[in-house]
């Protein structure tokens, strides 16, 4: 299934994945491993958004547009980003 990766600030829904609460030294090993992998997934998406916001300043502030248009903007920027990485050595 398609899910969103969130942190403790997000409300838990059927489509939302969050880490287990508690400290690493008191959680069972399976939950500790899950939290580690969940954290890696969150870091990856946060790093990608940081790169996109640095390259395209539109993401640094609230975008005053319809949500479906913001989705189109985001997809266009991701396509441009991937194209520039593939075609340009100095990007």
């Amino acid at each position: 299934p398609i899910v969103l990766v969130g942190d403790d600030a997000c409300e838990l829904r059927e489509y939302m994945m969050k880490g287990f609460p508690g400290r690493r030294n008191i959680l069972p090993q399976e939950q500790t491993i899950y939290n580690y992998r969940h954290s890696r997934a969150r870091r990856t998406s946060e790093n990608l958004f940081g790169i996109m916001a640095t390259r395209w300043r539109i993401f640094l502030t609230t975008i005053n547009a319809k949500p479906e248009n913001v989705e189109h903007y985001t997809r266009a920027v991701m396509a441009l980003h991937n194209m520039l990485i593939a075609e340009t050595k100095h990007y």
Side-chain angles (χ1 to χ4, degrees), residues 9-42:
C10 299
E11 183 178 349
L12 188 58
R13 302 278 184 161
E14 290 181 13
Y15 56 84
M16 179 69 65
M17 293 181 70
K18 293 171 55 172
F20 288 100
R23 295 187 183 185
R24 193 171 87 188
N25 56 352
I26 62 171
L27 289 174
Q29 184 178 10
E30 294 84 13
Q31 291 180 359
T32 301
I33 292 169
Y34 170 83
N35 279 354
Y36 171 74
R37 292 179 178 166
H38 181 268
S39 175
R40 283 179 47 193
R42 282 189 42 236

Side-chain angles (χ1 to χ4, degrees), residues 26-91:
I26 62 171
L27 289 174
Q29 184 178 10
E30 294 84 13
Q31 291 180 359
T32 301
I33 292 169
Y34 170 83
N35 279 354
Y36 171 74
R37 292 179 178 166
H38 181 268
S39 175
R40 283 179 47 193
R42 282 189 42 236
R43 280 196 315 256
T44 300
S45 62
E46 289 172 4
N47 289 343
L48 172 64
F49 186 79
I51 291 168
M52 287 175 46
T54 301
R55 304 258 187 234
W56 288 278
R57 307 262 179 213
I58 189 172
F59 296 115
L60 290 177
T61 60
T62 303
I63 301 172
N64 190 13
K66 294 179 183 177
E68 56 269 15
N69 290 341
V70 174
E71 183 177 343
H72 292 305
Y73 303 158
T74 305
R75 287 176 186 235
V77 165
M78 289 189 316
L80 287 170
H81 173 76
N82 290 338
M83 185 183 71
L84 288 170
I85 285 176
E87 300 295 326
T88 309
K89 293 180 182 179
H90 303 289
Y91 174 72

